[in-house]
Amino acid sequence: MQVEFGVLIAIGGFLIGLFTFAQKRDKNVKDDASKSAVIETKLDNISQSVDSIRIDLRANEQRWSSLSETVVRIDESTKQAHKRIDKIDNKGDV
């Protein structure tokens, strides 16, 4: 009878250990899944931010290109104006 009681206690301990293991395993899977979801969400946000920065950078490059073209035209216009002024000065000196 004592042997049967010991076997029952051993089986009971084994079952309790098995159930505890299963619960912790399920909890760990849930925790890992939630952590993965959080990480994935953060990576998506970072990706969207990088894409937004790229769009802004392209827009800035276009603005700089436009500004550069404007400066070149103004520089050419200024050179022509100086040539005309020099001609007017030379006519006045004669």
Side-chain angles (χ1 to χ4, degrees):
M1 190 134 163
Q2 287 184 353
V3 173
E4 293 174 10
F5 186 67
V7 171
L8 288 176
I9 290 176
I11 291 173
F14 174 75
L15 290 175
I16 290 173
L18 186 64
F19 289 132
T20 302
F21 170 75
Q23 285 179 339
K24 289 201 181 251
R25 183 189 62 205
D26 291 343
K27 184 180 180 213
N28 287 340
V29 168
K30 288 178 185 177
D31 288 345
D32 289 345
S34 67
K35 286 179 184 178
S36 294
V38 168
I39 289 171
E40 189 172 329
T41 302
K42 287 182 180 182
L43 286 175
D44 287 342
N45 289 340
I46 291 170
S47 176
Q48 290 174 355
S49 296
V50 168
D51 289 342
S52 175
I53 290 170
R54 284 183 184 154
I55 291 169
D56 290 344
L57 184 59
R58 286 184 187 137
N60 284 338
E61 287 174 356
Q62 290 175 351
R63 286 185 202 127
W64 276 105
S65 177
S66 175
L67 183 61
S68 177
E69 291 172 7
T70 303
V71 168
V72 167
R73 283 190 305 239
I74 291 171
D75 190 39
E76 291 171 357
S77 177
T78 304
K79 286 179 185 178
Q80 291 174 359
H82 279 290
K83 287 179 183 178
R84 288 191 299 256
I85 291 170
D86 286 342
K87 286 181 183 178
I88 293 172
D89 283 343
N90 288 339
K91 286 181 182 179
D93 290 340
V94 177

